[in-house]
Amino acid sequence: MVDLTLLGSLLLAILGAFLFFRNGFLKKTEESKGDTAAAAAATVVDERECRSGEGGDDIIIVGAGVAGAALAYTLGKDGRRVRVIERDLTEPDRIVGELLQPGGYLKLIELELQDCVDEIDAQRVFGYALFKDGKATRLSYPLEKFHSDVSGRSFHNGRFIQRMRKKAASLPTYLRLPANLDISIMNQSLVIVTLEQGTVTSLLEEKGAITGVQYRTKSGEEMKAYAPLTVVCDGCFSNLRRSLCTPKVDVPSCFVGLVLEKCDLPFANHGHVILADPSPILFYPISSTEIRCLVDVPGEKVPSISNGDLAKYLKTVIAPQVPPELHGAFLSAIERGNMRTMPNRSMPAAPHPTPGALLMGDAFNMRHPLTGGGMTVALSDIVVLRNLLRPLRDLNDAPTLCKYLESFYTLRKPVASTINTLAGALYKVFSASPDQARNEMRQACFDYLSLGGVFSSGPVSLLSGLNPRPLSLVCHFFAVAIYGVGRLLLPFPSLKRMWIGARLISSASAIIFPIIKAEGVRQMFFPATVPAYYRAPPVK
């Protein structure tokens, strides 16, 4: 009996010890799980997230215009920690950047930003109407192969930018938890795009690499921010680009902007280009009740607004060339006196690859705004940069990253060089000239586009960003020149006409070849021969 009691006590002791150690082990396991969960909560990342290090920003973006705001959203959506420093976060009020071509809208869709043209009274644009000497021809975008929603969009630039800023700032992280972790431990999301108002005064450099920026806050406090990559998107008046590129800025003309009210365009939902003397006039809708008018004035200065010279110029020189349907509204807009001016700048991309920094947007590359291609180029560049950065988990090796990103300058060329070259060439062709050969080229261009079919759809597909092929651009450009020579020689050629035809070909060459040279012949036509084209992501 004693033996049985002793045996029972022994078994109970063993069972008690087992339960004690088991409970202690489970408690430690739960604590360990809790610690793992807490650690995971602190370091949780999106499946596309590519952290550069513990804490801090991955990328600093200087400027929150079209390029900066779109880039911030795109990189933030991919899990990067982005700090955007913008001089003025209030709604911009500009007279350009209001027409987005269909090719740009397709890029907007690719970046998942197409909803930013909603709720701002944006107008759909289906093509252009071209006017010369009382005649008009309509040039429609070749949209037959695209979804019905695809078209151009025109809007108030400031409203569009504010929509993108808001979307970027409200972007939360997408959380990816370990498979063995209970998702209930995470009940919060972290904002990873920070928009801050401040003026960047300089780039911070260390051992030949850009490490961040120095800036002045809205309250006047001097601050510094650091990140492995700084993207400068501070616009056409950039004060930071000189250390990152060779800026060769040309100002061929200025725009005078007015807003027309209570009138309808001759061709609804179309941009209108009047081949006026001395240079083109543009009309396009920016809301359901407003039409933007941009009068191009050659040269770097416009007549004085304060003493009435500009109003007199618009009334006496420009108004007689405006279509009758818009004439009254044009004069009324002048009488209201709300005239804005802006220099039209062009600047070929001439980057200095710099570790830790990259230029984008108008700070990097500009073209004449006649064709409305600036936003299309900027959005296309963002798609290229996003695709290059996506495979990278670490941005901290600045020299290696810089060498890899040299491919950006080549991969962007098909779209950028096509739109840049077309903008520069068209402005020169569409402007009046005392040279008879140039005027023949101008008339030939109008007649060529009026032929319809491939003669209009081909050039318009280039202008719209739907067919970014430089070789196609050159073919159409010289087809216009040859068509112009044919007009001169028929029905009866003469020595004088043959001489004008030869000068026409020479003039066409003098227009387009310098632009192509500035863009880079090899990168523009033979990008696959550039070594950087094949740059692979660095492995670390």
Side-chain angles (χ1 to χ4, degrees):
M1 186 71 178
V2 174
D3 292 339
L4 290 176
T5 303
L6 183 61
L7 181 61
S9 299
L10 182 61
L11 290 173
L12 287 172
I14 293 172
L15 179 61
F18 171 77
L19 292 175
F20 175 81
F21 285 111
R22 180 177 181 276
N23 288 340
F25 176 77
L26 287 176
K27 184 176 180 182
K28 282 181 131 187
T29 302
E30 290 299 318
E31 289 175 356
S32 175
K33 284 186 178 180
D35 291 340
T36 302
T43 60
V44 66
V45 295
D46 173 54
E47 63 181 359
R48 297 170 297 179
E49 189 174 18
C50 307
R51 295 301 195 193
S52 301
E54 294 299 324
D57 302 311
D58 293 322
I59 296 172
I60 294 170
I61 298 175
V62 181
V66 171
L71 182 63
Y73 173 79
T74 301
L75 297 180
K77 185 164 60 68
D78 277 1
R80 307 283 183 188
R81 291 166 293 190
V82 181
R83 178 177 297 276
V84 184
I85 304 173
E86 162 60 34
R87 182 181 59 83
D88 186 358
L89 286 173
T90 60
E91 182 174 311
D93 183 16
R94 303 183 67 202
I95 63 171
V96 293
E98 299 172 320
L99 178 60
L100 180 66
Q101 298 287 359
Y105 184 73
L106 288 174
K107 297 300 179 184
L108 212 60
I109 293 174
E110 195 171 346
L111 297 171
E112 299 179 19
L113 284 165
Q114 68 273 23
D115 58 335
C116 290
V117 298
D118 298 336
E119 301 177 12
I120 59 172
D121 200 15
Q123 302 299 298
R124 301 188 69 182
V125 178
F126 298 109
Y128 281 88
L130 199 59
F131 293 76
K132 186 178 186 298
D133 299 330
K135 297 180 180 179
T137 184
R138 182 163 58 178
L139 311 171
S140 298
Y141 293 136
L143 301 172
E144 298 81 8
K145 297 180 181 179
F146 298 95
H147 187 272
S148 59
D149 185 53
V150 176
S151 66
R153 294 292 195 282
S154 54
F155 39 69
H156 281 271
N157 174 269
R159 297 176 187 175
F160 178 56
I161 288 176
Q162 290 299 86
R163 287 275 292 173
M164 286 199 293
R165 288 175 178 175
K166 182 178 180 181
K167 187 164 184 175
S170 60
L171 181 71
T173 53
Y174 295 81
L175 304 175
R176 176 176 59 81
L177 303 177
N180 62 346
L181 193 61
D182 184 358
I183 196 169
S184 64
I185 67 167
M186 290 301 298
N187 58 7
Q188 62 181 352
S189 61
L190 307 172
V191 175
I192 57 172
V193 175
T194 303
L195 262 70
E196 183 175 358
Q197 184 162 310
T199 301
V200 175
T201 55
S202 64
L203 300 174
L204 301 177
E205 185 176 348
E206 183 178 335
K207 297 179 181 179
I210 302 300
T211 58
V213 299
Q214 181 165 335
Y215 65 101
R216 188 180 305 107
T217 66
K218 186 178 179 180
S219 60
E221 184 180 2
E222 291 289 339
M223 300 285 288
K224 293 181 180 180
Y226 297 89
L229 181 62
T230 299
V231 183
V232 176
C233 309
D234 57 343
C236 62
F237 300 104
S238 172
N239 62 344
L240 302 175
R241 63 172 163 232
R242 289 192 175 277
S243 61
L244 303 176
C245 74
T246 304
K248 297 179 181 178
V249 180
D250 180 37
V251 184
S253 67
C254 297
F255 269 156
V256 177
L258 305 97
V259 174
L260 278 59
E261 299 174 346
K262 299 178 181 179
C263 64
D264 296 318
L265 289 166
F267 296 90
N269 299 104
H270 282 67
H272 290 54
V273 182
I274 288 81
L275 303 190
D277 187 358
S279 52
I281 308 168
L282 305 180
F283 294 93
Y284 52 87
I286 54 174
S287 74
S288 56
T289 60
E290 298 166 300
I291 293 171
R292 169 69 71 194
C293 171
L294 294 175
V295 178
D296 186 84
V297 179
E300 297 187 19
K301 295 183 178 180
V302 300
S304 172
I305 296 177
S306 59
N307 65 11
D309 285 351
L310 180 57
K312 182 180 178 181
Y313 173 81
L314 294 176
K315 289 178 180 178
T316 58
V317 178
I318 302 301
Q321 304 179 77
V322 171
E325 298 92 332
L326 303 172
H327 189 266
F330 181 77
L331 293 176
S332 297
I334 297 172
E335 291 299 330
R336 287 197 299 272
N338 188 20
M339 293 175 285
R340 308 272 304 283
T341 64
M342 179 177 177
N344 293 326
R345 297 169 171 241
S346 62
M347 184 185 76
H352 299 157
T354 305
L358 196 70
L359 274 171
M360 291 195 76
D362 284 349
F364 174 47
N365 183 206
M366 294 180 282
R367 76 290 311 149
H368 196 285
L370 172 70
T371 58
M375 288 189 288
T376 301
V377 172
L379 295 171
S380 176
D381 285 354
I382 291 169
V383 170
V384 172
L385 182 61
R386 177 201 65 182
N387 294 341
L388 288 172
L389 290 179
R390 265 185 173 172
L392 305 184
R393 295 194 61 82
D394 186 4
L395 304 179
N396 285 288
D397 188 346
T400 302
L401 178 64
C402 177
K403 191 170 183 64
Y404 169 61
L405 289 181
E406 285 180 11
S407 59
F408 166 76
Y409 303 116
T410 301
L411 295 173
R412 69 181 292 273
K413 275 297 178 180
V415 174
S417 62
T418 301
I419 292 174
N420 293 345
T421 305
L422 183 63
L426 269 188
Y427 176 70
K428 292 183 178 180
V429 171
F430 281 178
S431 297
S433 170
D435 184 354
Q436 188 177 357
R438 286 278 297 272
N439 284 329
E440 287 291 343
M441 181 74 175
R442 189 188 196 207
Q443 185 63 50
C445 186
F446 180 84
D447 292 343
Y448 182 89
L449 293 171
S450 300
L451 293 174
V454 68
F455 305 106
S456 64
S457 64
V460 172
S461 67
L462 292 165
L463 182 148
S464 63
L466 297 173
N467 179 31
R469 297 180 182 176
L471 187 58
S472 178
L473 166 61
V474 173
C475 289
H476 277 289
F477 187 79
F478 279 103
V480 170
I482 293 169
Y483 178 77
V485 173
R487 289 175 63 257
L488 285 168
L489 299 183
L490 294 176
F492 303 109
S494 66
L495 288 177
K496 180 181 179 181
R497 287 174 173 268
M498 291 172 65
W499 172 243
I500 295 173
R503 286 173 48 213
L504 191 156
I505 296 293
S506 175
S507 177
S509 301
I511 288 173
I512 198 167
F513 286 146
I515 302 174
I516 291 174
K517 183 181 178 182
E519 288 293 320
V521 176
R522 188 181 179 190
Q523 287 186 319
M524 186 170 175
F525 295 101
F526 312 105
T529 68
V530 180
Y533 185 83
Y534 301 99
R535 240 7 87 83
V539 178
K540 189 169 182 179

